[in-house]
Amino acid sequence: MENASKALIMASSILLGIMIISVGVALYNTFSQLANNTMERIDETKISEWNNRYTKYHGTITLEENGKAKVKPIPVTAHEIVSLANHSLENNKYYELEKQNTYNENTYYIQLQVEKVANFEKLDEKAKNKFLQENSLTENNETKYYMCDFYEISKVTKRVMYIKFVEYKE
């Protein structure tokens, strides 16, 4: 009888231990899923902020002129374009993609096209300064504007990989 009670105590101890381990494993899985979901949301937020730096120039705005609503593209200055080009260049250097000339789905390379210059981000400082001198103001000494004609986001990296600007003419 004494051995039987000891056997029952041992069996219940083993079952209790298995239950505690099972609860621990279940809690671990729950918390790891929560951590993974949080990390995914943080990554999505970072990508969204990254893309917003480029995509905020695409689209239209509605202005009221003489009591009438007028839809115009979002204006972009030459200075903003050079700033984006510098940011793209730093990105391409960071990922060691300076030798790449065109964007593709599988890399973080960002290609910036302005009018007919396909790799504006690769221009040296002298060429960018010349662009600023020649394209900041119109002949009437008014600010010259560009508009974002097109951009493309990679399906793999989910980041902007190409953006094109053209001169805005009313």
Side-chain angles (χ1 to χ4, degrees):
M1 193 60 102
E2 193 174 302
N3 288 338
S5 66
K6 285 184 180 181
L8 284 173
I9 291 173
M10 282 180 26
S12 63
S13 298
I14 291 171
L15 286 174
L16 185 61
I18 290 172
M19 286 174 52
I20 291 172
I21 291 172
S22 298
V23 168
V25 168
L27 286 173
Y28 174 79
N29 286 337
T30 301
F31 287 125
S32 66
Q33 281 182 328
L34 181 64
N36 287 340
N37 290 344
T38 303
M39 290 304 295
E40 284 176 13
R41 277 187 267 142
I42 289 171
D43 289 343
E44 288 172 5
T45 301
K46 285 180 182 178
I47 290 171
S48 177
E49 288 172 0
W50 174 270
N51 286 343
N52 187 47
R53 178 171 289 164
Y54 294 91
T55 60
K56 69 182 177 184
Y57 299 110
H58 187 263
T60 58
I61 56 173
T62 304
L63 302 172
E64 194 166 317
E65 292 180 5
N66 301 327
K68 293 183 180 180
K70 188 171 185 178
V71 178
K72 293 184 174 183
I74 296 172
V76 184
T77 64
H79 290 85
E80 290 171 315
I81 290 173
V82 169
S83 177
L84 281 178
N86 290 335
H87 185 264
S88 300
L89 179 65
E90 289 301 315
N91 173 78
N92 296 343
K93 282 182 180 177
Y94 179 80
Y95 290 106
E96 299 176 354
L97 299 168
E98 299 104 309
K99 293 182 178 159
Q100 191 169 330
N101 288 318
T102 57
Y103 65 95
N104 71 49
E105 293 279 334
N106 299 314
T107 67
Y108 288 126
Y109 185 82
I110 300 174
Q111 182 179 352
L112 196 94
Q113 181 173 345
V114 179
E115 295 289 341
K116 295 179 182 175
V117 181
N119 289 94
F120 192 85
E121 75 283 356
K122 289 189 177 241
L123 295 180
D124 60 14
E125 290 303 312
K126 186 176 178 181
K128 288 177 186 172
N129 286 335
K130 183 178 179 186
F131 172 79
L132 285 173
Q133 288 173 347
E134 295 173 355
N135 295 288
S136 293
L137 298 173
T138 64
E139 294 172 3
N140 303 333
N141 282 333
E142 295 176 359
T143 304
K144 184 175 182 179
Y145 291 107
Y146 290 82
M147 62 182 224
C148 177
D149 187 43
F150 176 77
Y151 71 89
E152 193 167 349
I153 294 178
S154 167
K155 291 177 180 77
V156 176
T157 65
K158 309 257 188 293
R159 292 173 39 152
V160 170
M161 61 183 176
Y162 175 78
I163 188 164
K164 179 182 178 185
F165 291 99
V166 294
E167 186 177 340
Y168 173 68
K169 297 178 184 175
E170 287 191 56

